[in-house]
Amino acid sequence: MKITGLSLLALCASSVTSRFVEKHETDQVIINGDSDAEQLYLIELTPWELAMVTEEQKWDLKRKGVNFMDITDNPELGASRAVRSISKDKKLPSKPALQKEVKPMLKTLSKLEMQNHLETFSSFHTRYYKSSYGAQSSAWLLKTVNETIADAGADEYGAYVKHFKHPWGQNSVIATLPGKSNKTIVIGAHQDSINLFLPSILAAPGADDDGSGTVTILEALRVLLTSKDFIKGNAENTVEFHWYSAEEGGLLGSQAIFAEYEKTDRDVRAMLQQDMTGFVQKTLDAGAEENVGVITDFVDPELTEFIKKIVTEYCDIPYVETKCGYACSDHASASKAGYPSAFVIESEFKYSDDHIHTSDDTITYLSFDHMLQHAKLTLGLVYELAYAKLD
């Protein structure tokens, strides 16, 4: 996620490297993969602007609040976008229509479930995507999602979860819930965290960014699977829940996934990203009304309009339109591949959490009442689109 503000300490820390750190500190995190400080990466700052940078220069851009996609491994992502956009009708419902089924389910969403999961997920020293902790947290997430599916009995009807493997150590996680067709609805969040002071060393609990989104969609999944009709595969469309690795590295995990989906012509009809769902204090301190931030730039307009209607129908707070710039989260990978994508965040972007990317991104600052609203949005959207005829 884009940084809205950094302390003087953070700016000073940008010039520090691991050779100035005590040996016992470097033992805290095991780094996977190539650690060549001079290796160059091809990044996309806008659809029309590319640059070659080192890894440290990537982190420096993030410290300055500059978004980018690291397209080094997926420079052809989006090559067939025009063909896909023309060849497939992606018309969505005009309005929510399944209130009778959805509203009782909303009452069973649990703040305690989200809190318990987030306490564990943010207890890893870091979820930096090249670290052993990042691999461990991904393994915990895979296990937890698998247990969620098994506890619901959904595995008996073909639901499953698996790792989407990456060379850097932390794998993405994809849960697949089959419907009557291969038309697919994707709900996403990113699982990695980062401390931009010293990414490979310092603690990065990542409670809000994006532990909050991770457990928000996990809770929506849990309640979705209480629908016997849904787990039996009677929905019109297939549903997938994605937890992406390496978003902080330049949307690396989501790019790899959507590059594979583009290559195999996967029929993704909608993708929603939930990145940071728990911080509301700055909104309240500003005297503004608690709300859901609906991103309006670099997103699919039709899907975004439908999400606004979902918020109005199923949430207890309103939405506010806001912008975050190019490549500000993983929905950008889906969009670049030609798939309709959208992004919601905890607030108007200027009021979003300024503790992120530090050791201070902890549960202390988060509101589980607010996260519950994002869970309601997620559950309402995924159920409505799962049962929609998208021909």
Side-chain angles (χ1 to χ4, degrees):
M1 288 298 303
K2 183 179 177 182
I3 306 170
T4 56
L6 285 172
S7 67
L8 179 61
L9 176 59
L11 295 174
C12 293
S14 67
S15 64
V16 180
T17 64
S18 59
R19 64 179 176 274
F20 299 119
V21 179
E22 295 297 326
K23 177 66 166 59
H24 74 275
E25 292 182 288
T26 63
D27 288 342
Q28 291 178 0
V29 180
I30 300 172
I31 303 300
N32 298 307
D34 189 359
S35 59
D36 183 1
E38 299 306 313
Q39 181 176 347
L40 293 178
Y41 301 89
L42 178 62
I43 64 169
E44 186 174 273
L45 296 158
T46 72
W48 311 276
E49 183 181 1
L50 304 179
M52 296 294 297
V53 298
T54 64
E55 186 163 89
E56 177 56 31
Q57 287 171 329
K58 286 205 302 184
W59 306 146
D60 191 48
L61 286 170
K62 290 183 74 71
R63 294 180 192 113
K64 294 174 181 176
V66 178
N67 300 321
F68 59 85
M69 300 177 73
D70 180 344
I71 64 171
T72 306
D73 295 332
N74 293 288
E76 300 302 317
L77 180 65
S80 62
R81 175 178 179 175
V83 174
R84 179 179 299 104
S85 298
I86 292 171
S87 64
K88 292 182 179 176
D89 180 11
K90 297 180 172 63
K91 187 172 179 60
L92 299 175
S94 60
K95 61 182 180 180
L98 300 176
Q99 292 89 341
K100 182 179 178 181
E101 293 81 6
V102 172
K103 288 191 174 181
M105 298 171 69
L106 298 180
K107 296 178 182 178
T108 66
L109 290 164
S110 169
K111 292 184 289 184
L112 183 59
E113 288 279 347
M114 289 189 287
Q115 182 174 348
N116 288 340
H117 283 141
L118 189 53
E119 285 175 352
T120 299
F121 201 54
S122 61
S123 69
F124 291 91
H125 176 70
T126 181
R127 300 190 305 276
Y128 178 54
Y129 68 98
K130 290 185 178 182
S131 71
S132 59
Y133 291 109
Q136 292 165 21
S137 61
S138 179
W140 175 86
L141 183 58
L142 179 72
K143 178 177 178 290
T144 302
V145 176
N146 191 53
E147 290 172 350
T148 301
I149 291 172
D151 289 347
D155 53 335
E156 299 177 11
Y157 298 97
Y160 63 93
V161 61
K162 65 179 182 179
H163 268 149
F164 187 101
K165 295 185 177 180
H166 303 294
W168 48 78
Q170 182 189 64
N171 296 318
S172 295
V173 174
I174 299 178
T176 301
L177 316 169
K180 294 179 182 178
S181 75
N182 291 326
K183 300 182 185 73
T184 303
I185 310 303
V186 174
I187 302 296
H190 74 87
Q191 57 175 287
D192 61 314
S193 67
I194 194 168
N195 188 317
L196 286 179
F197 291 12
L198 290 170
S200 65
I201 297 171
L202 298 183
D208 196 23
D209 190 11
D210 183 28
S212 61
T214 290
V215 303
T216 292
I217 72 169
L218 178 58
E219 179 60 8
L221 170 63
R222 183 188 70 82
V223 175
L224 177 64
L225 295 180
T226 63
S227 168
K228 296 301 181 185
D229 188 74
F230 179 82
I231 66 172
K232 289 179 180 179
N234 293 326
E236 294 292 329
N237 309 303
T238 292
V239 171
E240 290 185 352
F241 282 74
H242 292 187
W243 290 270
Y244 304 113
S245 169
E247 186 265 1
E248 303 289 6
L251 318 187
L252 299 178
S254 58
Q255 282 190 79
I257 289 170
F258 286 109
E260 178 66 21
Y261 283 18
E262 182 181 24
K263 179 180 178 181
T264 56
D265 199 28
R266 286 290 306 275
D267 191 3
V268 175
R269 295 304 180 97
M271 183 273 177
L272 171 67
Q273 177 77 349
Q274 290 268 18
D275 190 348
M276 298 169 56
T277 66
F279 184 75
V280 72
Q281 194 58 51
K282 281 176 68 177
T283 299
L284 301 178
D285 289 346
E289 184 178 16
E290 181 180 356
N291 51 58
V292 173
V294 177
I295 300 299
T296 58
D297 58 336
F298 300 101
V299 293
D300 182 79
E302 184 184 9
L303 177 57
T304 299
E305 286 302 312
F306 187 66
I307 286 170
K308 293 177 186 177
K309 294 175 183 178
I310 292 290
V311 174
T312 300
E313 186 65 40
Y314 294 126
C315 295
D316 305 313
I317 58 177
Y319 66 82
V320 61
E321 293 185 351
T322 190
K323 296 181 179 181
C324 68
Y326 184 68
C328 62
S329 196
D330 291 300
H331 64 291
S333 298
S335 180
K336 190 176 180 182
Y339 299 122
S341 75
F343 176 27
V344 295
I345 190 170
E346 58 207 4
S347 64
E348 191 173 353
F349 203 73
K350 66 182 179 181
Y351 297 139
S352 61
D353 197 344
D354 52 8
H355 301 95
I356 66 170
H357 301 162
T358 75
S359 59
D360 204 28
D361 183 4
T362 64
I363 287 180
T364 304
Y365 304 105
L366 303 188
S367 165
F368 288 93
D369 287 313
H370 193 69
M371 289 168 61
L372 183 64
Q373 298 302 316
H374 280 263
K376 288 181 176 182
L377 160 60
T378 305
L379 181 58
L381 180 72
V382 72
Y383 197 91
E384 290 278 356
L385 293 185
Y387 281 88
K389 292 185 180 295
L390 301 176
D391 296 325

